[in-house]
Amino acid sequence: MTQNMTVTRATFDEVMVPNYNPAKMVPVKGEGSRVWDQEGREYIDFAGGIAVNCLGHCHPAMVKALTEQGNKLWHLSNVFTNEPAIRLAKKLTESTFADRVYFANSGAEANEAALKLARRWALDKFGPEKDQIIAFTKGFHGRTFFTVTVGGQPAYSDGFGPKPGGIEHVAYNDLAALEKQMSDRTCAIMMEPLQGEGGVISPDADFVKGVRELCDKHNALLIFDEVQTGFGRTGSLYAYQQLGITPDILASAKSLGGGFPIGAMLTTKAIAEHLKPGTHGSTYGGNPLACAVAEAVYDVVNTDEVLQGVKHREKIFKQKLAEINAKYNVFKDIRGQGMLLGAELADQYEGKARDFLNAGGEEGVMVLVAGPSVIRFTPSLVIPEADINEGLARFERAIAKVVG
Ligand SMILES: *Cc1c(COP(=O)(O)O)cnc(C)c1O
């Protein structure tokens, strides 16, 4: 086998486990918000690697951090600490409610750590009866068996044998239902401060405040899964910072590494103390390479220029989508926050989000779906206005094709 052997999308089916069904084209290169495939065709990227590539592809600050660290030190394990990890943790604690950080390699792992910490905290402080975890229907928290069971889509957690217990679900934005489920047995509530995979659903302001109050009333921890909403995505470093409440534990990943795999769990000093030496860990979590890249991403993202730019781009995007909709009447709702936007299809196109995604690909624009009837846009936080215009012009052609 040589490095230059020819592989195609067809090879995928011969060598990969069939749990994914990727697009027909194979991307080979990216720069900013543009991507090229094996045939040299160019695409505008509104998918951003599913809300990961927050600075687009191959941003110079990330490439610099990666190459510099790549020539210094890649991996040590947690037998040793390292400077990039400590620096990144310092920056994260300085700019959030948190005093302590645990590094992982993905969103699921950050959430897994959050859930295990909550259970251990409750056990230490209140005893084994306090084990109930409540989460929300349509929520998504990752694919480990614990996190996927806490996620509110049974289709993802069924079929793998006995599930972790003590987990219950109520409808998002239904405070009365949550209040009914909660008691002093409740250990933690896990929620996204804006449901991403579940259809780009914002929480009502009263709902979030109510959840916080119920957690306080019953001595339960509030865990915010900010894997998708975090790191500038909604126009503040974390979404909770615009909601007027503070969680007890927060999970971050996706944009945190800008494309390099890393996850983080943030919490307070008092809660962190319950994750004593040996209680949890990861071989790669907090490795210098990932942390050096994430630090570079942080330095660019956590600036007024970028965060206010996200709000500005949200306005342009929503405005243009509304203009397209005025012509074609395909959406019944255009929603979301920052660069995490959703367009829900009108009733006559219900269940057809994938058709629009595929047509977009044919016209040279990459978009996402969030469920069967919502088109999702999670582009780079610094996508140039010209790329927004060009990408949406292409998407308009895709819409014309589908509705035509
Ligand atoms: C993507 C996502 C996850 C899972 O992250 P992985 O890195 O795929 O494990 C968890 N929670 C939310 C809200 C997500 O969007």
Side-chain angles (χ1 to χ4, degrees), residues 100-120:
R100 295 289 184 271
V101 180
Y102 166 83
F103 287 120
N105 311 291
S106 66
E109 282 179 61
N111 281 326
E112 182 87 15
L115 292 164
K116 285 179 73 178
L117 171 57
R119 280 273 178 81
R120 188 56 71 102

Side-chain angles (χ1 to χ4, degrees), residues 60-123:
M62 293 173 58
V63 174
K64 181 168 177 280
L66 183 71
T67 46
E68 277 180 14
Q69 190 60 41
N71 283 308
K72 262 193 222 161
L73 188 64
W74 290 26
H75 174 77
L76 291 159
S77 89
N78 295 293
V79 176
F80 306 96
T81 188
N82 67 80
E83 291 176 352
I86 300 170
R87 279 202 307 265
L88 177 60
K90 195 152 175 46
K91 289 181 178 183
L92 289 172
T93 54
E94 277 169 5
S95 49
T96 65
F97 74 96
D99 323 300
R100 295 289 184 271
V101 180
Y102 166 83
F103 287 120
N105 311 291
S106 66
E109 282 179 61
N111 281 326
E112 182 87 15
L115 292 164
K116 285 179 73 178
L117 171 57
R119 280 273 178 81
R120 188 56 71 102
W121 168 88
L123 178 74

Side-chain angles (χ1 to χ4, degrees), residues 15-327:
V15 294
M16 299 288 200
V17 165
N19 62 318
Y20 303 123
N21 181 23
K24 294 286 168 260
M25 62 86 165
V26 180
V28 292
K29 183 179 140 63
E31 192 185 325
S33 285
R34 300 198 180 219
V35 168
W36 290 266
D37 70 13
Q38 285 181 317
E39 262 72 64
R41 274 199 72 200
E42 181 222 69
Y43 302 80
I44 304 269
D45 187 3
F46 285 163
I50 315 190
V52 168
N53 302 316
C54 61
L55 299 178
H57 298 275
C58 299
H59 189 283
M62 293 173 58
V63 174
K64 181 168 177 280
L66 183 71
T67 46
E68 277 180 14
Q69 190 60 41
N71 283 308
K72 262 193 222 161
L73 188 64
W74 290 26
H75 174 77
L76 291 159
S77 89
N78 295 293
V79 176
F80 306 96
T81 188
N82 67 80
E83 291 176 352
I86 300 170
R87 279 202 307 265
L88 177 60
K90 195 152 175 46
K91 289 181 178 183
L92 289 172
T93 54
E94 277 169 5
S95 49
T96 65
F97 74 96
D99 323 300
R100 295 289 184 271
V101 180
Y102 166 83
F103 287 120
N105 311 291
S106 66
E109 282 179 61
N111 281 326
E112 182 87 15
L115 292 164
K116 285 179 73 178
L117 171 57
R119 280 273 178 81
R120 188 56 71 102
W121 168 88
L123 178 74
D124 288 350
K125 283 184 67 110
F126 302 94
E129 284 75 40
K130 196 176 177 69
D131 66 356
Q132 183 196 42
I133 288 164
I134 306 178
F136 298 94
T137 328
K138 289 193 182 167
F140 183 77
H141 302 299
R143 298 285 200 153
T144 65
F145 207 15
F146 198 173
T147 58
V148 82
T149 307
V150 173
Q153 301 188 62
Y156 290 167
S157 55
D158 287 350
F160 299 102
K163 296 180 186 181
I167 299 164
E168 283 160 48
H169 296 93
V170 300
Y172 199 66
N173 277 328
D174 188 343
L175 195 60
L178 180 65
E179 186 165 17
K180 229 170 118 199
Q181 287 294 315
M182 277 186 88
S183 68
D184 289 348
R185 236 204 80 213
T186 309
C187 159
I189 306 292
M190 179 173 260
M191 67 180 281
E192 296 162 83
L194 185 165
Q195 287 191 328
E197 304 296 315
V200 190
I201 316 271
S202 291
D204 303 332
D206 291 350
F207 177 68
V208 180
K209 293 215 170 76
V211 174
R212 179 70 269 181
E213 280 165 20
L214 286 171
C215 285
D216 293 340
K217 182 175 164 199
H218 294 292
N219 285 316
L221 298 180
L222 179 56
I223 305 171
F224 263 21
D225 176 352
E226 293 231 28
V227 170
Q228 189 153 161
T229 54
F231 235 59
R233 180 64 48 193
T234 68
S236 50
L237 187 63
Y238 287 102
Y240 85 85
Q241 292 164 327
Q242 295 176 70
L243 290 172
I245 60 129
T246 303
D248 301 297
I249 305 178
L250 182 152
S252 186
K254 291 203 166 113
S255 295
L256 173 60
F260 200 98
I262 181 170
M265 177 195 71
L266 280 57
T267 189
T268 64
K269 178 170 180 283
I271 296 167
E273 263 153 26
H274 296 270
L275 225 46
K276 294 190 178 67
T279 48
H280 192 56
S282 157
T283 297
Y284 292 118
N287 79 80
L289 206 46
C291 292
V293 175
E295 189 191 1
V297 176
Y298 176 98
D299 289 343
V300 178
V301 166
N302 196 33
T303 55
D304 284 348
E305 189 196 337
V306 168
L307 295 175
Q308 279 163 21
V310 169
K311 292 282 185 198
H312 177 64
R313 287 168 176 79
E314 172 190 336
K315 275 201 206 99
I316 300 176
F317 227 102
K318 282 182 171 168
Q319 167 80 34
K320 298 246 164 219
L321 283 172
E323 282 167 22
I324 293 173
N325 201 34
K327 282 195 224 165

